[in-house]
């Protein structure tokens, strides 16, 4: 079973790069084995194109390294906090995908503006408050998980119904029942964020003169069409 | 004949992904065989890269599955409604391409702002109203087709002259005489939507000081050119 | 010599697609042989990926087809008008590249805002007026060349100093001493148009709290760095 | 040692193109050998895809060509000035990457708006003033380095803490302890500039009617899910 989980974690991490969700090594995917409760996560600072199954790190839910010769991602404590608080999660993805991160930097939640969003998130994707100075100093990565969990609990949001969070001044986390589902939610979040950032900023778009519209449509589709660039 | 139609439907579905019009499995292409009136459509939830001719689903115009071992796309009822109402259609494409969908989310039609648009659409691409609560509950996908058809009939728009519609809060549909033509109209719609969304939002663009313009142009093109990064 | 010209025209046409300057078949490149004065141009409606040297069309400067089994691009009359008026041109490129075309649709010239522009164009790239109804009816493609030439002559612009024009409601043309140079100017024009369209639309960008800046910089670069996603 | 440096300079130059940071030949990477103090830089005007180790140019810190059959990049004097003023630099990258260059053209520094920035730059990336007429005439490329150095010295910025500069009306330079580090900083600068340029320009994003949100979420995730495009 863990072999299959590892293959999926490897594949999802590589998809982060090939899909354009991350640049350099700015992202990571993990999964939880439903039987053993073990966590498999990306190693720290390894290039996606070079990464192999044997590079992945396996940990227990309390953070002990069970298997692996490399350090786990520096974001591991955030992943572990989320898995511990939300047992229904089977996979977590963290990226700095540029449109979702733009929302984070501006401190904006992502409302549901259309069915692309509704297909994945049952309402607004929340903005999670920035950590205060003490939380940053004390245990930065663990507290990053903690403020996400607190937000979802305080607002009574079920994590599988809104499988994503936007961290103020930081970047998004997404999750799901599996690593691949968390990856797909990262794709969906980025697409919806892209549409939110790319709003239309003029009242009136320019309109072509009718005689040019006529000519161009008819030279391609009319009775005497001759068009072909 | 159906073999050729199937090859074209497969090709057009794969082009959705390779051209960047869809992410994950957010789109589908169908075609109608002009001789038999049978419809060939993408199967539900299959990855574009894995899809084969044998995965496609063949249906009659009233929705009976004639051939295929997989479920047809969940948008099939919309395609069928359009084929039944507009017999001149030979192919239909549905995507969530991001710029056209941004227009849908903002509830904006797409006016013709230039010849790129005029080459494909003989006037504005209309915005189709959102379904009301009853229409959604009763038969969502069929009613999606119905509101498109009603709009075109009420406004006396010929579907092959404006082969596209923007569904409020949802996404675009395009069509044509063939599957490939519907795909090309999806490309054209997205390009024109991209230009509409990317309007220019400042009155005055900055202007370089003349001595820097002079230097850069002359070091590359002047009598003593030495430029080469 | 014509063989070499043909190879270059083929290569430049294929680059239009691979560089992302055109979608579908929305663009064309031609060249003039400096010795014979013959023009080599893209055939009409052929896909870039399938195009071969033998598909190119060779014409005389007055538009007679000298060689080729296909129709020349429907924009041929524009190319010919430019070659006849500006004997210094050796290559012409026409695209509907999306950022330059956005400027055309909004009726905006492109001022020089930086050295990327200054390296290629010695001042603003002009906006050329739209054709009137008579000019469109009479000889659309030839008159498209005519209004470009009139603008350059009336404003005393040397075509090799500003090797580009933005046609109102239409799209850009670029040119150069060779086909490849006209292609490079199309790349440069699109890049500069992209920067013009993507202006910054807020006064104040958000600023991260200092304790988060400190933590993130130090966990990666400080004495006790441990970062690695 | 110099062989290894050359391999890295070659690789980083090729990455400029494959990562999309440069178009045509608009960028260059150099490195300094820490033992000999020799500089290895991209040759002038060579295509990235054709470039080989033997095309690279080796210079002494005072600009004498030590090895190489091609001309060094026309920006070499800027690189040399930076290496001489900041001995801690081991690599320098210059690009015209479009988002960072948009900031340059608008004369805007890049404040730190989030952790993506904080991971690479310990504060704002400064805007460097444009050269005046005399500085351009006298020794343009050398003076480009000089104004960068003056800005960092006057503002007491340590170059390895803020390894980037935005040149007004021109484009960015980045650097680091190695060529590869300077390349990575160019990637990070462009990503952060992209988020700065793509700010959100509306107060209220549109919100989908609740019955459509409900339908789309439930047809995919509810008890009777049937969705699959």
């Amino acid at each position: 079973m863990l072999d299959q989980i590892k293959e999926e974690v490897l594949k999802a991490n590589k998809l982060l790069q090939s899909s354009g969700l991350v640049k350099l090594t700015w992202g990571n995917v993990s999964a939880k084995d439903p039987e053993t409760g073990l966590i498999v996560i990306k190693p720290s600072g390894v290039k996606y194109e070079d990464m192999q199954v044997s590079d992945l790190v396996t940990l227990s839910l309390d953070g002990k390294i069970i298997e692996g010769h490399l350090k786990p991602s520096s974001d591991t404590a955030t992943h572990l906090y989320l898995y511990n608080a939300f047992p229904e999660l089977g996979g977590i993805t963290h990226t700095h995908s540029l449109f979702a991160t733009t929302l984070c930097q501006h401190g904006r939640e992502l409302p549901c503006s259309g069915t692309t969003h509704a297909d994945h998130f049952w309402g607004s994707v929340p903005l999670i408050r920035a950590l205060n100075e003490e939380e940053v100093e004390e245990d930065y990565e663990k507290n990053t998980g903690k403020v996400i969990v607190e937000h979802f609990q305080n607002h009574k949001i079920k994590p599988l119904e809104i499988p994503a969070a936007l961290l103020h001044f930081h970047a998004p986390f997404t999750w799901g029942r599996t690593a691949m589902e968390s990856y797909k939610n990262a794709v969906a979040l980025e697409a919806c964020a892209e549409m939110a950032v790319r709003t239309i900023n003029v009242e009136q778009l320019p309109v072509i003169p009718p005689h040019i519209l006529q000519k161009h449509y008819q030279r391609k589709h009319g009775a005497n069409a001759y068009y072909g660039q």
Side-chain angles (χ1 to χ4, degrees), chain A:
Chain A
M1 180 63 188
L2 219 50
D3 280 357
Q4 196 183 318
I5 295 271
K6 284 178 183 170
E7 286 292 351
E8 187 179 334
V9 169
L10 183 72
K11 185 181 169 194
N13 271 294
K14 286 175 181 283
L15 278 168
L16 289 187
Q17 181 175 63
S18 57
S19 66
L21 288 182
V22 308
K23 295 180 184 291
L24 302 176
T25 59
W26 306 346
N28 42 70
V29 182
S30 69
K32 190 183 78 178
D33 177 25
E35 293 193 16
T36 60
L38 294 176
I39 306 302
V40 176
I41 196 165
K42 177 182 175 292
S44 172
V46 174
K47 284 185 204 167
Y48 300 102
E49 59 266 37
D50 300 338
M51 206 181 297
Q52 297 184 318
V53 161
S54 58
D55 295 328
L56 299 175
V57 185
T58 306
L59 303 107
S60 61
L61 269 168
D62 56 358
K64 294 209 185 73
I65 293 181
I66 305 296
E67 200 185 359
H69 60 287
L70 295 168
K71 274 201 313 174
S73 162
S74 56
D75 293 315
T76 298
T78 311
H79 289 244
L80 291 176
Y81 197 94
L82 293 172
Y83 284 120
N84 278 292
F86 300 143
E88 59 270 54
L89 305 196
I92 297 174
T93 292
H94 172 50
T95 78
H96 286 227
S97 64
L98 293 189
F99 288 99
T101 304
T102 299
L103 292 175
C104 293
Q105 295 196 166
H106 278 265
R108 299 276 291 251
E109 66 164 27
L110 180 65
C112 178
S113 296
T115 63
T116 320
H117 184 120
D119 284 339
H120 290 84
F121 310 106
W122 202 7
S124 298
V125 174
L127 176 75
I128 309 300
R129 73 166 172 81
L131 300 190
N132 63 34
E133 204 161 345
E134 204 188 324
E135 290 163 336
V136 164
E137 277 313 302
E138 189 203 67
D139 199 342
Y140 178 63
E141 290 81 10
K142 181 182 160 190
N143 286 330
T144 297
K146 199 172 172 193
V147 290
I148 297 173
V149 169
E150 278 174 5
H151 185 103
F152 275 66
Q153 289 175 343
N154 292 344
H155 294 76
K156 301 193 192 316
I157 308 172
K158 292 186 184 167
L160 286 183
E161 290 179 356
I162 309 281
L166 296 161
L167 279 69
H168 199 177
F169 296 117
H170 189 167
F173 277 82
T174 58
W175 48 78
R177 264 171 294 256
T178 62
M180 199 50 63
E181 198 176 294
S182 74
Y183 161 74
K184 288 182 183 175
N185 286 330
V187 172
L189 179 63
E190 182 66 0
C192 293
E194 183 169 340
M195 293 192 278
V197 170
R198 282 182 171 150
T199 49
I200 304 153
N201 56 24
V202 292
E203 265 316 290
Q204 293 296 328
L205 292 166
V207 179
I208 201 170
H211 63 278
I212 302 182
L213 168 57
Q214 188 80 2
K215 176 68 183 179
H216 266 260
Y217 188 78
Q218 292 298 338
R219 75 170 184 159
K220 191 164 178 185
H221 304 282
N224 300 310
Y226 61 92
Y227 171 89
Q229 280 195 325

